[in-house]
Amino acid sequence: MAACRKTGSVAWRNSTTTLQQRFYSAPTDGHIPAAKKKYVPASGTFPKGFLVSGTHVGVKPTNTHFPDLAILSSERPCSAAAVFTKNRFQAAPVTVSREALKKRSGEGIRAIIINSGCANAVTGKGGLEDANTMAAAVDGQYSSASGSSEGSSTLVMSTGVIGQRLPISKIISAVPKAFSNLDNSHQAWLTTAKAICTTDTFPKLLSTTFTLPSSPRTTYSLAGMTKGAGMIHPNMATLLGILCTDAPIPATILQPLLTHAVDRSFNAISVDGDTSTNDTVALLANGAAGGQPVTSPTSEDGKAMQEVLTKFTQQLSQLVVRDGEGATKFVHIRVIDSPSFDDARLIASTIARSPLVKTALYGKDANWGRVLCAIGYTQGLSQNAVIPEQTSVSFVPLDGSKPLKLLVNGEPEAVDETRASQILAEEDLEILVDLGKGEQREHEASYWTCDFSHEYVTINGDYRT
């Protein structure tokens, strides 16, 4: 087929007639597509003591008015933890932020600065200098600027095109304005979430409140924003996540809580199987709401905080999948009755990144053989993790209706193709894989992914322009 390129859309056609027209990326005027507006919160409850801003810099010359510099600042020093990309070509902001946390043992962090439009990745010594300059510019906004022996109190993140230097002078000159814009209103948080977007079609922002067992009368808040729509696959992808809470949690407790949560959320999503150079998810806790500090990940407070944080990061990370470049489906892949969590996770991950599975989903084709194929070639499984005669696969609609069984104990079912088409026509779908290991081995894992469409190719073919 030949492709006919139009502004904001692409028409796929044969020699005689236009078959369909699809909008493949965020509108250039910045408005949020109607289908995505339901994911943008109209209000929120945000942690005490945190202020945010989104400011226009023009990191990309083509950006003449959208915010592209974000600041998150705490009125008091924070405990901090972060999880970073495992890509060997790690971007300068990753190196600088990791070093800042190491020097301070995760304590005394005051701010995070994020730019969109340029990843500052694979930029050599100059890129490291730019990232350090960004951190120093933010440090200088505090009256008690930290000395070099302690290291910077600012974490740095960047996202955008790889291999290009930042317009560092423009960014640094905008930092005072960004600080003057700091606020704790819902609109400020929403603007900040917009400032970190690249090919995202909507800003990804969530907030929630919770209590902890030792301080039942104290209400804590947890807020988070994230960005990402493509190059999404652990560990992690072109994905940034910024989380903050006013609960009192020291860094030594914060890091294992975040790592556990990220393994079950941001590291359990895939759009295209590519792992970026810049991935960072950071969590700050300033204790501004008071109450008893969390003393251990295994204490009652620690367990409660882990449950809250894991659920929250799952909800936040799933917004990335819902905004997958060109995606039309949101797919939950659930593997149950596994010998171990690791086996279940490996299988779910393999299915999630299979191009054949993802294109079949886009085409609304109930081709369950592709799911089985992905299960069968999964690498790194324990011995006898998958026994074909024990394996079952179903499509599970999310409207509460009966699952469609495709394979039961290794035997194919007579598939009702009409019912399959109805299930696959919906935006949300669960693929359930039962490894049949029985009640004694009830380990399970989830992965969230989307389909592959014509639009994904179009977006990424045009990315640098």
Side-chain angles (χ1 to χ4, degrees), residues 56-65 68 117-118 164-165 167 170:
H56 171 256
V57 172
V59 174
K60 291 183 75 170
T62 54
N63 176 16
T64 58
H65 59 285
D68 54 1
C118 177
Q164 296 181 2
R165 289 286 299 275
K170 292 172 69 174

Side-chain angles (χ1 to χ4, degrees), residues 84-311:
F84 299 100
T85 182
K86 292 183 179 179
N87 190 303
R88 289 182 179 85
F89 287 95
Q90 298 191 353
V94 171
T95 301
V96 168
S97 294
R98 182 186 283 113
E99 186 64 21
L101 289 173
K102 181 179 178 180
K103 282 186 176 181
R104 288 181 164 270
S105 300
E107 299 292 351
I109 300 298
R110 291 295 301 270
I112 302 176
I113 180 171
I114 314 105
N115 76 271
S116 61
C118 177
N120 191 15
V122 197
T123 47
K125 293 180 180 179
L128 288 171
E129 292 173 0
D130 290 344
N132 279 309
T133 299
M134 288 173 66
V138 173
D139 290 340
Q141 295 296 309
Y142 298 104
S143 57
S144 55
S146 303
S148 59
S149 60
E150 290 182 288
S152 174
S153 63
T154 301
L155 304 184
V156 182
M157 302 182 189
S158 297
T159 181
V161 178
I162 294 171
Q164 296 181 2
R165 289 286 299 275
L166 289 168
I168 192 64
S169 297
K170 292 172 69 174
I171 292 173
I172 299 310
S173 64
V175 167
K177 180 181 179 181
F179 264 77
S180 70
N181 292 337
L182 288 172
D183 196 4
N184 195 35
S185 67
H186 175 72
Q187 186 57 51
W189 281 89
L190 196 59
T191 301
T192 306
K194 291 178 180 178
I196 66 175
C197 291
T198 51
T199 59
D200 307 65
T201 66
F202 67 94
K204 300 164 183 66
L205 173 68
L206 288 178
S207 63
T208 190
T209 58
F210 62 96
T211 60
L212 295 175
S214 67
S215 306
R217 295 183 179 179
T218 302
T219 299
Y220 298 108
S221 296
L222 172 63
M225 64 186 86
T226 187
K227 63 80 52 185
M231 203 182 282
I232 301 296
H233 185 72
N235 289 296
M236 288 157 290
T238 182
L239 178 152
L240 302 179
I242 302 96
L243 310 169
C244 59
T245 181
D246 50 17
I249 312 172
T252 52
I253 310 301
L254 210 60
Q255 187 63 58
L257 292 178
L258 180 63
T259 299
H260 179 95
V262 166
D263 280 346
R264 289 155 179 79
S265 57
F266 287 102
N267 277 345
I269 61 174
S270 183
V271 168
D272 49 21
D274 279 346
T275 299
S276 169
T277 54
N278 290 59
D279 307 341
T280 305
V281 174
L283 171 60
L284 272 57
N286 66 6
Q292 296 297 315
V294 178
T295 57
S296 166
T298 58
S299 67
E300 291 304 307
D301 281 350
K303 292 177 181 178
M305 187 67 222
Q306 186 69 81
E307 183 177 353
V308 169
L309 183 61
T310 301
K311 181 179 179 181

Side-chain angles (χ1 to χ4, degrees), residues 332-411:
H332 178 190
I333 298 169
R334 186 168 166 237
V335 179
I336 65 172
D337 285 347
S338 170
S340 69
F341 170 77
D342 289 341
D343 285 332
R345 178 184 170 84
L346 284 170
I347 291 169
S349 171
T350 303
I351 297 169
R353 65 177 188 267
S354 165
L356 291 179
V357 171
K358 293 159 77 71
T359 50
L361 291 170
Y362 176 67
K364 304 179 180 65
D365 179 8
N367 194 336
W368 52 268
R370 294 182 176 183
V371 176
L372 285 186
C373 181
I375 297 171
Y377 66 66
T378 301
Q379 300 293 308
L381 295 176
S382 63
Q383 188 174 12
N384 296 324
V386 176
I387 297 176
E389 294 78 15
Q390 296 177 346
T391 304
S392 301
V393 177
S394 301
F395 285 167
V396 182
L398 299 189
D399 60 3
S401 59
K402 188 177 179 180
L404 179 66
K405 295 181 179 180
L406 306 170
L407 185 80
V408 178
N409 294 325
E411 294 290 334

